[in-house]
Amino acid sequence: MTNLQASGTTTTPNVAVGPAGRALAQPMDPALLDALQQHLTMERRASAFYFANALWFGERELRGFSKFFHGESQSESTHAASFADYLVARGQTVQLEEVGAPRQSWASFEEVMAASFLLEADVTASLQQLYSLAERSSDTRTTVFLDPIMEGQIQSEHEFAHLLGRVRFAGEQAAALLILDAELAEGNNNPYYLGERFSNG
Ligand SMILES: [Fe+2]
Protein backbone atom coordinates (compact mmCIF):
# COMPACT_ATOMS: atom_id res chain seq x y z
CA MET A 1 0.00 0.00 0.00
CA THR A 2 1.30 3.50 -0.84
CA ASN A 3 0.93 6.64 1.26
CA LEU A 4 -1.80 7.87 -1.10
CA GLN A 5 -4.12 4.92 -0.57
CA ALA A 6 -6.83 4.95 2.07
CA SER A 7 -6.30 2.78 5.10
CA GLY A 8 -8.15 2.10 8.29
CA THR A 9 -5.62 3.89 10.46
CA THR A 10 -4.40 7.49 10.10
CA THR A 11 -0.66 7.59 10.55
CA THR A 12 1.57 10.45 9.41
CA PRO A 13 3.86 9.20 6.66
CA ASN A 14 7.49 9.07 7.61
CA VAL A 15 9.39 11.91 5.87
CA ALA A 16 13.17 11.89 5.95
CA VAL A 17 14.76 15.22 6.89
CA GLY A 18 18.10 16.83 6.13
CA PRO A 19 20.50 18.49 8.61
CA ALA A 20 18.34 21.65 8.76
CA GLY A 21 15.22 19.61 9.46
CA ARG A 22 13.85 20.20 5.97
CA ALA A 23 12.02 17.43 4.09
CA LEU A 24 14.46 15.36 2.10
CA ALA A 25 13.37 13.58 -1.09
CA GLN A 26 16.71 11.91 -1.87
CA PRO A 27 19.80 11.90 0.34
CA MET A 28 22.92 13.34 -1.26
CA ASP A 29 26.17 11.45 -1.69
CA PRO A 30 28.64 12.96 0.86
CA ALA A 31 31.39 13.42 -1.76
CA LEU A 32 28.96 15.21 -4.07
CA LEU A 33 27.67 17.39 -1.23
CA ASP A 34 31.22 18.35 -0.27
CA ALA A 35 32.09 19.16 -3.89
CA LEU A 36 28.96 21.32 -4.24
CA GLN A 37 29.89 23.26 -1.09
CA GLN A 38 33.42 23.79 -2.44
CA HIS A 39 32.09 24.89 -5.81
CA LEU A 40 29.87 27.47 -4.10
CA THR A 41 32.99 28.87 -2.42
CA MET A 42 34.77 28.90 -5.79
CA GLU A 43 31.97 31.02 -7.27
CA ARG A 44 32.19 33.44 -4.32
CA ARG A 45 35.97 33.68 -4.79
CA ALA A 46 35.48 34.30 -8.52
CA SER A 47 33.08 37.11 -7.64
CA ALA A 48 35.67 38.70 -5.30
CA PHE A 49 38.40 38.24 -7.92
CA TYR A 50 36.38 39.98 -10.63
CA PHE A 51 35.40 42.75 -8.22
CA ALA A 52 39.13 43.34 -7.64
CA ASN A 53 39.68 43.37 -11.42
CA ALA A 54 36.90 45.95 -11.81
CA LEU A 55 38.78 48.15 -9.34
CA TRP A 56 42.14 47.52 -11.00
CA PHE A 57 40.89 48.65 -14.41
CA GLY A 58 38.89 51.51 -12.88
CA GLU A 59 42.07 52.82 -11.26
CA ARG A 60 43.65 52.84 -14.74
CA GLU A 61 40.76 54.80 -16.38
CA LEU A 62 39.62 51.79 -18.40
CA ARG A 63 35.95 52.12 -17.55
CA GLY A 64 34.74 49.58 -20.14
CA PHE A 65 36.93 46.83 -18.64
CA SER A 66 35.89 47.96 -15.17
CA LYS A 67 32.21 47.72 -16.11
CA PHE A 68 32.74 44.32 -17.71
CA PHE A 69 34.42 42.88 -14.61
CA HIS A 70 31.84 44.45 -12.31
CA GLY A 71 29.16 42.61 -14.29
CA GLU A 72 31.17 39.38 -14.12
CA SER A 73 31.53 39.79 -10.37
CA GLN A 74 27.76 40.14 -10.04
CA SER A 75 27.07 37.12 -12.21
CA GLU A 76 29.50 34.94 -10.19
CA SER A 77 27.68 36.06 -7.06
CA THR A 78 24.39 34.99 -8.68
CA HIS A 79 25.93 31.61 -9.54
CA ALA A 80 26.98 31.15 -5.90
CA ALA A 81 23.41 32.02 -4.86
CA SER A 82 22.01 29.40 -7.27
CA PHE A 83 24.19 26.72 -5.68
CA ALA A 84 23.04 27.85 -2.23
CA ASP A 85 19.40 27.70 -3.37
CA TYR A 86 19.96 24.24 -4.77
CA LEU A 87 21.54 22.92 -1.57
CA VAL A 88 18.60 24.26 0.44
CA ALA A 89 16.17 22.68 -2.05
CA ARG A 90 17.95 19.38 -1.45
CA GLY A 91 17.49 19.68 2.31
CA GLN A 92 21.14 20.52 2.99
CA THR A 93 22.71 23.24 5.12
CA VAL A 94 24.94 25.68 3.22
CA GLN A 95 28.45 25.88 4.67
CA LEU A 96 29.90 29.33 4.02
CA GLU A 97 33.68 29.14 3.91
CA GLU A 98 36.28 31.89 4.03
CA VAL A 99 36.64 33.72 0.72
CA GLY A 100 39.97 35.48 1.33
CA ALA A 101 41.43 38.57 -0.30
CA PRO A 102 41.73 38.43 -4.10
CA ARG A 103 44.94 39.26 -5.95
CA GLN A 104 45.13 42.97 -6.76
CA SER A 105 48.50 43.54 -8.39
CA TRP A 106 49.31 42.73 -11.99
CA ALA A 107 52.24 43.44 -14.29
CA SER A 108 50.20 43.85 -17.47
CA PHE A 109 46.70 43.92 -18.97
CA GLU A 110 47.38 40.58 -20.61
CA GLU A 111 48.30 39.05 -17.25
CA VAL A 112 44.91 40.00 -15.71
CA MET A 113 43.02 38.67 -18.69
CA ALA A 114 45.05 35.42 -18.77
CA ALA A 115 44.39 34.84 -15.05
CA SER A 116 40.69 35.49 -15.62
CA PHE A 117 40.55 33.01 -18.48
CA LEU A 118 42.32 30.38 -16.35
CA LEU A 119 39.82 30.96 -13.54
CA GLU A 120 36.97 30.28 -15.96
CA ALA A 121 38.70 27.06 -17.04
CA ASP A 122 39.06 26.04 -13.35
CA VAL A 123 35.35 26.67 -12.76
CA THR A 124 34.51 24.49 -15.75
CA ALA A 125 36.76 21.71 -14.42
CA SER A 126 34.99 21.93 -11.06
CA LEU A 127 31.57 21.70 -12.77
CA GLN A 128 32.76 18.66 -14.72
CA GLN A 129 33.81 17.01 -11.48
CA LEU A 130 30.40 17.77 -9.95
CA TYR A 131 28.73 16.32 -12.99
CA SER A 132 30.64 13.05 -12.84
CA LEU A 133 30.08 12.74 -9.06
CA ALA A 134 26.34 13.28 -9.64
CA GLU A 135 26.26 10.66 -12.39
CA ARG A 136 28.21 8.20 -10.27
CA SER A 137 25.62 8.43 -7.48
CA SER A 138 22.67 8.42 -9.95
CA ASP A 139 21.69 11.91 -8.73
CA THR A 140 19.67 13.06 -11.73
CA ARG A 141 18.34 16.11 -9.86
CA THR A 142 21.90 17.42 -9.73
CA THR A 143 22.78 16.69 -13.37
CA VAL A 144 19.58 18.49 -14.45
CA PHE A 145 20.49 21.45 -12.18
CA LEU A 146 24.02 21.54 -13.64
CA ASP A 147 23.09 21.31 -17.34
CA PRO A 148 22.27 25.00 -18.00
CA ILE A 149 25.11 26.11 -15.69
CA MET A 150 27.61 24.04 -17.66
CA GLU A 151 26.32 25.49 -20.91
CA GLY A 152 26.71 29.06 -19.62
CA GLN A 153 30.18 28.26 -18.33
CA ILE A 154 31.35 27.01 -21.73
CA GLN A 155 30.05 30.27 -23.17
CA SER A 156 32.01 32.24 -20.55
CA GLU A 157 35.24 30.44 -21.42
CA HIS A 158 34.65 31.30 -25.07
CA GLU A 159 34.11 34.98 -24.25
CA PHE A 160 37.18 35.19 -22.00
CA ALA A 161 39.35 33.47 -24.65
CA HIS A 162 38.08 36.06 -27.13
CA LEU A 163 38.86 39.00 -24.83
CA LEU A 164 42.28 37.59 -23.94
CA GLY A 165 43.05 37.25 -27.66
CA ARG A 166 42.04 40.85 -28.32
CA VAL A 167 44.07 42.17 -25.37
CA ARG A 168 47.09 40.18 -26.61
CA PHE A 169 46.55 41.64 -30.06
CA ALA A 170 46.43 45.17 -28.63
CA GLY A 171 49.60 44.62 -26.60
CA GLU A 172 50.23 47.57 -24.30
CA GLN A 173 49.25 50.13 -26.94
CA ALA A 174 46.99 52.75 -25.38
CA ALA A 175 45.05 53.50 -28.57
CA ALA A 176 44.20 49.84 -29.17
CA LEU A 177 43.25 49.24 -25.52
CA LEU A 178 40.97 52.30 -25.59
CA ILE A 179 39.13 50.82 -28.57
CA LEU A 180 38.59 47.56 -26.65
CA ASP A 181 37.57 49.57 -23.61
CA ALA A 182 34.96 51.45 -25.64
CA GLU A 183 33.57 48.12 -26.90
CA LEU A 184 33.27 46.78 -23.38
CA ALA A 185 31.64 50.02 -22.20
CA GLU A 186 28.93 49.26 -24.80
CA GLY A 187 28.54 45.73 -23.41
CA ASN A 188 30.14 44.22 -26.50
CA ASN A 189 32.20 41.30 -25.23
CA ASN A 190 30.99 38.48 -27.47
CA PRO A 191 32.88 36.78 -30.25
CA TYR A 192 31.24 36.90 -33.68
CA TYR A 193 28.90 33.95 -34.25
CA LEU A 194 28.50 32.56 -37.72
CA GLY A 195 25.63 30.40 -36.52
CA GLU A 196 23.29 30.82 -33.60
CA ARG A 197 24.84 31.62 -30.26
CA PHE A 198 25.03 28.27 -28.50
CA SER A 199 24.04 29.44 -25.06
CA ASN A 200 22.32 32.29 -23.27
CA GLY A 201 24.67 31.97 -20.31
FE1 LIG B 1 30.30 31.30 -12.32
Side-chain angles (χ1 to χ4, degrees):
M1 183 168 21
T2 72
N3 285 326
L4 299 180
Q5 289 174 315
S7 71
T9 55
T10 54
T11 52
T12 306
N14 192 25
V15 176
V17 293
R22 202 165 186 276
L24 189 68
Q26 181 192 12
M28 199 176 263
D29 174 67
L32 174 61
L33 174 61
D34 190 49
L36 283 165
Q37 302 274 18
Q38 283 175 30
H39 188 87
L40 191 157
T41 302
M42 191 179 217
E43 298 280 5
R44 291 172 65 225
R45 287 191 179 132
S47 177
F49 178 72
Y50 289 150
F51 190 80
N53 288 357
L55 291 174
W56 193 85
F57 280 105
E59 286 165 354
R60 284 156 187 81
E61 320 306 349
L62 289 170
R63 61 189 179 211
F65 279 90
S66 187
K67 180 185 172 188
F68 169 74
F69 276 111
H70 189 213
E72 290 299 311
S73 173
Q74 288 168 328
S75 65
E76 300 305 349
S77 178
T78 304
H79 297 164
S82 298
F83 276 87
D85 286 343
Y86 181 67
L87 286 167
V88 171
R90 289 297 304 274
Q92 303 300 326
T93 301
V94 178
Q95 299 294 333
L96 294 177
E97 296 167 345
E98 199 174 337
V99 172
R103 179 169 167 183
Q104 287 188 275
S105 87
W106 303 95
S108 67
F109 298 104
E110 184 180 333
E111 195 181 19
V112 190
M113 299 311 293
S116 301
F117 171 75
L118 290 174
L119 173 62
E120 292 295 322
D122 283 348
V123 171
T124 309
S126 174
L127 288 174
Q128 281 171 328
Q129 197 202 354
L130 289 177
Y131 210 98
S132 59
L133 283 168
E135 283 186 326
R136 218 176 296 162
S137 56
S138 302
D139 195 325
T140 310
R141 289 174 178 85
T142 299
T143 54
V144 169
F145 165 70
L146 290 173
D147 276 332
I149 296 174
M150 183 65 96
E151 205 180 347
Q153 185 56 33
I154 294 164
Q155 181 74 36
S156 279
E157 277 184 343
H158 186 30
E159 286 176 15
F160 272 88
H162 174 65
L163 290 178
L164 172 59
R166 282 172 85 73
V167 168
R168 276 190 175 148
F169 189 70
E172 297 292 312
Q173 298 172 58
L177 286 166
L178 284 170
I179 290 172
L180 298 184
D181 193 62
E183 288 181 353
L184 291 175
E186 295 289 312
N188 187 4
N189 53 286
N190 291 313
Y192 176 69
Y193 292 96
L194 286 83
E196 284 182 22
R197 189 175 157 169
F198 48 80
S199 165
N200 295 317

